[in-house]
């Protein structure tokens, strides 16, 4: 793993890591059925080994941060998977929420963020919540680049996939 990513992980180990929607969907789908990861259209860009990497990463941090908007998107995406995984994923979501630290931002506050029309409600919530508090883990290249540009520490999950995490 690159030294830069390793240093970011150390810096935020106690503060926490904010997980973007697609990564959270990977976590829940993989927890239910790792072989389904590459078969579900919302996680097909991942392989089962990515789930293992994600579990190791999440286990490293003292807190996993989310927002209500991220959880709503995860809920909607998980509802698109076929049964029996859909019900199992929703059950895991219900259980998994207890392991997450949910940070709330009013929609009106998120809508005032400079790039709202470019990024929308969920990503603007991430921008607001993460600033000076948490490391962001995303696979969204556009969001990751913007966050880094404005000084929010961010790791693109695809970079971890390349370097691995043990």
């Amino acid at each position: 793993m690159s030294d830069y990513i390793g240093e970011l992980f150390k810096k935020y180990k106690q503060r926490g890591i904010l997980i973007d929607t697609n990564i959270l969907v990977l976590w829940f789908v993989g927890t239910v059925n790792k072989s389904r990861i590459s078969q579900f259209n919302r996680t097909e860009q991942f392989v089962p080994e990515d789930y293992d990497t994600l579990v190791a990463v999440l286990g490293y941090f003292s807190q996993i941060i989310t927002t209500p908007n991220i959880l709503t998107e995860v809920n909607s995406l998980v509802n698109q998977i076929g049964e029996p995984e859909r019900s199992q994923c929703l059950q895991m979501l219900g259980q998994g929420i207890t392991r997450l630290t949910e940070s709330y931002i009013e929609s009106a506050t998120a809508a005032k963020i400079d790039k709202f029309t470019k990024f929308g409600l969920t990503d603007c919530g991430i921008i607001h919540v993460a600033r000076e508090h948490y490391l962001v883990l995303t696979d969204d290249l556009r969001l990751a680049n913007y966050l880094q540009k404005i000084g929010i520490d961010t790791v693109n999950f695809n970079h971890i996939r390349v370097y691995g995490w043990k």
Side-chain angles (χ1 to χ4, degrees), residues 26 43-44 53 55 67 71 91 116 129 133 142 163:
L26 169 63
T43 56
E44 67 187 0
T53 299
V55 168
T67 68
L71 291 174
Q91 181 179 8
F116 182 79
V129 168
H133 296 289
R142 184 175 61 111
Y163 293 112

Side-chain angles (χ1 to χ4, degrees), residues 15-97:
R15 290 192 219 175
I17 189 166
L18 192 154
I19 307 299
D20 198 4
T21 303
N22 287 342
I23 307 304
L24 213 47
V25 171
L26 169 63
W27 188 33
F28 290 120
V29 171
T31 299
V32 168
N33 181 356
K34 282 174 39 174
S35 64
R36 187 77 150 121
I37 291 170
S38 56
Q39 299 171 354
F40 179 43
N41 67 338
R42 296 302 182 163
T43 56
E44 67 187 0
Q45 70 272 28
F46 302 113
V47 295
E49 292 79 15
D50 294 330
Y51 168 79
D52 297 330
T53 299
L54 178 60
V55 168
V57 167
L58 296 180
Y60 180 80
F61 290 90
S62 64
Q63 291 188 90
I64 304 167
I65 313 302
T66 191
T67 68
N69 301 94
I70 292 171
L71 291 174
T72 299
E73 284 190 356
V74 168
N75 183 77
S76 294
L77 294 174
V78 163
N79 264 305
Q80 296 174 17
I81 199 168
E83 290 292 356
E85 285 94 349
R86 186 195 74 79
S87 295
Q88 294 167 344
C89 282
L90 288 174
Q91 181 179 8
M92 292 308 304
L93 176 62
Q95 293 171 3
I97 287 172

Side-chain angles (χ1 to χ4, degrees), residues 20 22-23 29 84-85 92 108 113 115 126 144 149 154 160 162:
D20 198 4
N22 287 342
I23 307 304
V29 171
E85 285 94 349
M92 292 308 304
I113 291 178
K115 297 290 184 178
I126 290 170
K149 179 180 171 186
T154 304
I160 297 173
V162 171

Side-chain angles (χ1 to χ4, degrees), residues 140-159:
D140 182 336
L141 180 62
R142 184 175 61 111
L143 177 62
N145 287 342
Y146 179 73
L147 292 173
Q148 290 169 345
K149 179 180 171 186
I150 64 170
I152 296 175
D153 289 330
T154 304
V155 173
N156 187 324
F157 186 70
N158 293 310
H159 297 160

